[in-house]
């Protein structure tokens, strides 16, 4: 999150969109002691050390974990009961389909079909035509006509999408602040990340709703090389929940300039103050150019399960499948069975007071309000989030200074807080 703030304020200070050629500032050189013929590729040396690796290591010896965000309590009973049921089925401990376990993809199709107001096809059909290859006497058959794929967390969904559709030399627009993996994944694909910031419109710090995209700034960031726009709704870390009008503006530009919209919606069920979560894929003519990403970890407060999914037209899913089939191939069967079962149990309750999703929203809003009150009492200035796990805080009133370092101030501050407070 600290790095996201750095990137965000750097772009706000500039009049033109930021081109992030090297997303992270600290790149340790490859050891010269290694055989010169055995060297890492440019696609990995062009990115720096992973933020979470560094802060997870710090958390192991710190007084508080200011790295990854996750709940410190158990997932809901509906998920744990489903897991217990799944573990008693022998075949749930064996491989399942690479596309996704049947129960999981069926449940996702049912849930998203209702939310999106359209039929989602969870099944795969084999096309024995130009998609069939013969390699060393083995027949390789790819799937088509499917609109759901289950992945190793939303992280893998993003990786599969970028690997499948972002070419070397392309540009990908991200809305700042953004989740940390967007930029390095884009860079590893040989493309450039172009940052367009959410700019505060009211009195600072205010609420996340006061931070908006300047339509002219977004339009000016699009070039002939632009391939896609990544939008995170609700935004991590700011907590911004986009209104229908804001999404329509983004959608209009995507249609006008023939762009792919990658919509990261892992916090879709975590909105506050009764706000409705709008899906950009449901806007007119946007289904055919939108890839929607979700997460069981955020949906059920089970981040360690690392189970994500993508909902999109088959023309996108089938190429994501090719990346998946030649990397991780498949995900945990028993966890997919449990998630599928839990979603099926929730489906009849969707939109009612009995739904876990409704209960989770109410619980998180109480936590958000309590944390905001505590931060204000200490003299800090929080940006009140409309959704998600996090609260971004202006720490300038603390007046802290640190020794000169090649690290940014926010990195040093977070490390100091974790280790000293």
């Amino acid at each position: 999150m600290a790095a996201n703030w750095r990137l965000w304020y750097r772009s706000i200070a500039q009049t033109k969109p930021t081109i992030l050629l090297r997303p992270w500032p600290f790149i340790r050189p490859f050891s010269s002691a290694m055989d010169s013929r055995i060297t890492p590729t440019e696609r990995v040396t062009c990115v720096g050390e992973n933020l979470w690796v560094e802060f997870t290591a710090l958390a192991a010896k710190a007084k508080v974990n200011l790295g990854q965000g996750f709940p410190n309590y158990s997932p809901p009973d509906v998920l744990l009961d489903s897991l217990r049921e799944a573990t008693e089925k022998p075949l749930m401990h064996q491989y399942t389909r690479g596309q996704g376990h049947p129960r999981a993809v069926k449940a996702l199709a049912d849930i998203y079909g209702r939310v999106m107001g359209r039929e989602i096809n969870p099944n795969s059909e084999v096309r024995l035509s130009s998609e069939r290859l013969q390699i060393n006497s083995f027949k390789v058959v790819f799937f088509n006509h499917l609109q759901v794929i289950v992945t190793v967390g939303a992280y893998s969904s993003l990786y599969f999408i970028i690997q499948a559709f972002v070419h070397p030399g392309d540009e990908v627009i991200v809305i700042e602040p953004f989740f940390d993996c967007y930029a390095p994944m884009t860079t590893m694909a040989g493309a450039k990340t172009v940052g367009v910031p959410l700019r505060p419109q009211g009195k600072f710090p205010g609420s996340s709703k006061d931070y908006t995209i300047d339509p002219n700034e977004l339009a000016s960031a699009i070039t002939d090389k632009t391939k896609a726009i990544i939008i995170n709704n609700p935004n991590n870390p700011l907590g911004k929940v986009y209104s229908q009008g804001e999404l329509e503006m983004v959608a209009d530009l995507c249609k006008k300039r023939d762009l792919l919209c990658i919509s990261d919606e892992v916090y879709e069920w975590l909105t506050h103050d009764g706000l409705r979560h709008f899906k950009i894929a449901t806007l007119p003519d946007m289904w055919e150019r939108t890839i929607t990403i979700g997460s069981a970890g955020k949906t059920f407060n089970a981040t360690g399960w690392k189970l994500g999914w993508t909902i999109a037209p088959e023309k996108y899913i089938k190429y994501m499948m090719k990346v998946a089939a030649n990397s991780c191939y498949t995900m945990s069967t028993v966890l997919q069975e449990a998630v599928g079962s839990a979603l099926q149990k929730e489906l009849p309750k969707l939109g009612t007071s009995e739904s876990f999703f409704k209960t989770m929203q109410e619980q998180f809003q109480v936590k958000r309000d309590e944390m905001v009150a505590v931060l204000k009492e200490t003299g800090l200035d929080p940006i009140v989030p409309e959704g998600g796990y996090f609260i971004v805080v202006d720490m300038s009133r603390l007046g802290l200074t640190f020794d000169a370092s090649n690290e940014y101030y926010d990195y040093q501050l977070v490390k100091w807080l974790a280790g000293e407070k």
Side-chain angles (χ1 to χ4, degrees), residues 19-45:
I19 303 291
L20 305 176
L21 296 178
R22 294 292 182 270
W24 309 116
F26 311 117
I27 302 178
R28 295 184 176 89
F30 192 73
S31 174
S32 59
M34 179 69 77
D35 188 325
S36 61
R37 292 195 309 111
I38 306 174
T39 59
T41 63
E42 170 64 18
R43 62 179 172 270
V44 295
T45 58

Side-chain angles (χ1 to χ4, degrees), residues 26 170 183 196 206 249 294 326:
F26 311 117
D170 283 348
V196 175
M249 180 271 292
N326 293 287

